[in-house]
Amino acid sequence: VKVEFLDYEAMESRGWQLTDDDLFEKAADDELGGETHGYFYVEENETLLEAAEDEGYAWPFACRGGACTNCAVAIVDGEMPSPASHILPKELHDRGIRLSCIAAPTTDARIVYNVKHLPAIRDLLL
Ligand code: FES
């Protein structure tokens, strides 16, 4: 499946919100590119984090086992089911937050990575 990604910090520094309908259009218009905005493909049996690393991207992680939230991403479009066991509170899961080290999209998707800087997750990391 194809994943279009955007870096949370680049988004936040421009005053854009996860809930902006035209978030990815704005990213394309700004020609951010590089590590900030782009796309890649996720193979079967690969996690989203592994797929990003295969492309040479250094996305944040720590435990690689669903126990720390450093690798959190936000699904903006598409489906990304979580395995049964992970540390994310239901409230964040319901807001589309997922852990890239233990899951991958099952449909083409748009995701914001680096959301460990989202206040609700930052609090969780402390
Ligand atoms: Fe720790 Fe993914 S790296 S939850």
Side-chain angles (χ1 to χ4, degrees):
V1 300
K2 179 178 173 179
V3 171
E4 185 177 359
F5 65 87
L6 176 64
D7 176 17
Y8 180 80
E9 284 188 304
M11 181 196 99
E12 193 186 35
S13 68
R14 285 166 178 79
W16 302 343
Q17 306 283 331
L18 279 173
T19 46
D20 290 351
D21 286 342
D22 58 348
L23 180 59
F24 279 80
E25 285 70 23
K26 287 190 288 202
D29 287 348
D30 269 21
E31 297 179 0
L32 300 175
E35 294 247 336
T36 304
H37 171 240
Y39 67 88
F40 56 78
Y41 292 87
V42 185
E43 307 294 332
E44 253 177 82
N45 302 322
E46 209 177 26
T47 65
L48 179 59
L49 179 63
E50 287 166 346
E53 290 173 339
D54 281 353
E55 296 295 317
Y57 297 119
W59 284 13
F61 70 89
C63 73
R64 299 187 88 96
C68 75
T69 72
N70 276 287
C71 68
V73 302
I75 284 271
V76 174
D77 269 325
E79 299 291 329
M80 182 160 162
S82 286
S85 163
H86 60 79
I87 195 181
L88 275 184
K90 182 174 182 306
E91 177 232 329
L92 286 176
H93 192 267
D94 290 349
R95 285 169 60 186
I97 306 299
R98 299 288 186 272
L99 299 175
S100 66
C101 72
I102 54 168
T106 51
T107 63
D108 287 351
R110 286 175 153 173
I111 67 112
V112 174
Y113 79 98
N114 216 3
V115 296
K116 68 175 186 171
H117 299 290
L118 185 75
I121 297 179
R122 211 156 43 202
D123 295 348
L124 215 61
L125 285 167
L126 295 177

